[in-house]
Amino acid sequence: MIKRIWLIGRAVVTLVVTLVFLIGTPAVLAWLISGGPFSWLHLLIGIGVAAALIALGGVVFGWALGRRLKDD
């Protein structure tokens, strides 16, 4: 039971850290480019870029999976 909890906890921490970096990096870059205090606009830019990257990854994965299944 402890091994399962450890496995789930490790997976959750990994996913949260990845999401923070995926949203945080574009937000910080937008903040550095625009200057001034960090605001909700920078956070929204980070979320938008992260959503676009996730959608692009989904499209590429779907295309590759469809191509693979079509060839079988």
Side-chain angles (χ1 to χ4, degrees), residues 3 8 15 17 25 29 35-36 38 53 56-60 68 72:
K3 287 184 179 182
I8 291 171
L15 289 173
V17 168
T25 303
L29 286 175
F38 192 80
L53 288 173
L56 181 65
V59 167
V60 168
R68 171 77 174 128
D72 282 346

Side-chain angles (χ1 to χ4, degrees), residues 4 6 8 16 23 30 32 50 56 58 60 71:
R4 287 184 183 174
W6 175 251
I8 291 171
V16 167
I23 292 173
L32 288 174
L56 181 65
V60 168
D71 289 342

Side-chain angles (χ1 to χ4, degrees), residues 29-66:
L29 286 175
W31 172 56
L32 288 174
I33 290 171
S34 67
F38 192 80
S39 67
W40 285 102
L41 178 64
H42 300 108
L43 187 62
L44 290 175
I45 290 171
I47 292 171
V49 170
L53 288 173
I54 290 171
L56 181 65
V59 167
V60 168
F61 181 71
W63 172 79
L65 188 61

Side-chain angles (χ1 to χ4, degrees), residues 2-18:
I2 299 294
K3 287 184 179 182
R4 287 184 183 174
I5 292 173
W6 175 251
L7 182 65
I8 291 171
R10 194 172 62 180
V12 167
V13 168
T14 302
L15 289 173
V16 167
V17 168
T18 303

